[in-house]
Amino acid sequence: VDIAATLIGTGAIDASLSSIDTSLLLTESAVTNLILSLTGSTLVMRIIPIAVAVAFNLDLVTQYVDPDKIDFDAINWDEELIQIDDILSGVIRTGILQDILVDNAGVDVILPALFEQENAEEIGDILLSIDESPFLSQVIPAVLYGLVEQEVAAGGPAGGLGLSTFLPTAWEDYETIEFGRELKLVYDLVYELYNDAVGLSDVLLETLTGTTAVNDAPFEAPKREGETPTLTSVIVDNFDLFVEVLLGDVDEDGVPINNDPVTGISINRVSMLDSDLIARGLPSLVESLVLPTLLSVLGTDYDDTEVVSLVEGFNDGTLGDVRKAYKQEFAGLFSIVGAALSN
């Protein structure tokens, strides 16, 4: 009764329960009141664990996640629902949910909203809260592991990059991964590039919305002044920023500094290579993305022998099988590219 009264009280559902106005449910007060109604019902709180356990044993669900990978007894549902309330309230405050569900907004609206300054801290907190949720911190790894198993069983990722590029194939390795922290690290750095790399936001929007040829040829030659930027021209114009985002702090010679001597993780300036998932996928990333990008930046007239040799060293196991080595080798690679660009 309390739950129905809460829904009717928001105005989202009329007294006859015949119509629903989703937009009226997408408010902090509506979500919080609904969660409080759930946690305030002894019957509902007894049913929730049973319903969740049953749901995770349905064929539709078990094809994606093994319920044995989740310890349902470790979940306090009163606390979990409060955690979910905090997450949903944060999402609502960003306005992105309203854009998607009510306004049916396109990428041209959603992408800028994701990287607006006023939303950055909120989104970061939402991502970190994943690790604080006993339910989400178990379900997300279990789902991803199931998808990785399927991908490996099918012969590996199509096109060379997929989930198994970045994620372990052994379940026990998932215990040490903090997915919320990993996602926040990547989000923060993409946010920095999106807002500080001149021209990048234009290229991303054009690529994702398919409004220009950039979608078909992202690595074409740099545009002349006054023309629409390409990914290549953006990298050329913001080369030092891209190096910092990937490697972290570097000295005047481009050598990585201020890294933990054991883990190789940046002490001051966080970088993409500090991500365990990205570090795991580096061999495939180098071959499928980094090499074609750098060669396109250098141009067809550049003798790429030294660059290709370095990249082959990454992938044959003689170089860069740990984060510290990759940072050192990438520094050498970017030094070559930077010198070529300056000339």
Side-chain angles (χ1 to χ4, degrees), residues 122-131 180-181 183-184 187:
E122 193 78 66
I123 292 173
D125 290 342
I126 292 169
L127 296 175
L128 287 178
S129 66
I130 292 173
D131 297 332
R181 174 193 165 275
L183 290 171
K184 184 180 184 299
Y187 170 79

Side-chain angles (χ1 to χ4, degrees), residues 198-248:
V198 178
L200 181 61
S201 60
D202 294 333
V203 171
L204 287 176
L205 283 172
E206 290 168 353
T207 302
L208 294 172
T209 57
T211 55
T212 73
V214 175
N215 190 48
D216 299 318
F219 300 125
E220 62 188 74
K223 297 287 186 178
R224 291 186 295 274
E225 185 176 354
E227 293 186 349
T228 303
T230 65
L231 180 57
T232 300
S233 66
V234 169
I235 293 174
V236 171
D237 293 342
N238 302 274
F239 188 72
D240 290 342
L241 175 60
F242 276 92
V243 171
E244 288 184 16
V245 165
L246 184 65
L247 300 182

Side-chain angles (χ1 to χ4, degrees), residues 86-315:
D86 290 340
I87 293 173
L88 289 176
S89 294
V91 173
I92 289 170
R93 283 193 292 271
T94 66
I96 295 172
L97 206 57
Q98 172 84 17
D99 291 337
I100 297 172
L101 298 181
V102 179
D103 300 334
N104 197 28
V107 176
D108 58 325
V109 173
I110 297 171
L111 187 64
L114 276 172
F115 298 110
E116 284 181 0
Q117 183 176 357
E118 54 266 33
N119 284 340
E121 184 176 353
E122 193 78 66
I123 292 173
D125 290 342
I126 292 169
L127 296 175
L128 287 178
S129 66
I130 292 173
D131 297 332
E132 300 170 3
S133 164
F135 180 66
L136 294 177
S137 62
Q138 292 189 82
V139 170
I140 291 175
V143 171
L144 292 174
Y145 175 69
L147 293 174
V148 167
E149 277 193 314
Q150 292 178 19
E151 188 174 88
V152 172
L161 293 177
L163 286 175
S164 59
T165 303
F166 306 97
L167 295 169
T169 55
W171 170 245
E172 55 268 22
D173 292 335
Y174 284 73
E175 296 178 0
T176 60
I177 300 175
E178 295 177 307
F179 284 95
R181 174 193 165 275
E182 290 283 334
L183 290 171
K184 184 180 184 299
L185 184 152
V186 174
Y187 170 79
D188 286 344
L189 293 170
V190 174
Y191 170 87
E192 181 180 2
L193 287 175
Y194 183 89
N195 286 283
D196 294 346
V198 178
L200 181 61
S201 60
D202 294 333
V203 171
L204 287 176
L205 283 172
E206 290 168 353
T207 302
L208 294 172
T209 57
T211 55
T212 73
V214 175
N215 190 48
D216 299 318
F219 300 125
E220 62 188 74
K223 297 287 186 178
R224 291 186 295 274
E225 185 176 354
E227 293 186 349
T228 303
T230 65
L231 180 57
T232 300
S233 66
V234 169
I235 293 174
V236 171
D237 293 342
N238 302 274
F239 188 72
D240 290 342
L241 175 60
F242 276 92
V243 171
E244 288 184 16
V245 165
L246 184 65
L247 300 182
D249 287 333
V250 295
D251 62 18
E252 62 273 11
D253 296 320
V255 177
I257 56 174
N258 300 327
N259 294 310
D260 184 281
V262 176
T263 65
I265 293 176
S266 302
I267 297 173
N268 298 322
R269 207 255 194 249
V270 69
S271 71
M272 282 290 185
L273 294 191
D274 295 333
S275 163
D276 290 340
L277 300 184
I278 289 179
R280 186 183 296 275
L282 277 171
S284 296
L285 280 172
V286 167
E287 184 175 353
S288 301
L289 181 62
V290 175
L291 180 58
T293 302
L294 291 180
L295 293 182
S296 70
V297 168
L298 292 170
T300 55
D301 296 331
Y302 182 79
D303 181 359
D304 59 15
T305 304
E306 188 174 8
V307 172
V308 172
S309 176
L310 272 174
V311 170
E312 288 175 347
F314 284 179
N315 292 334

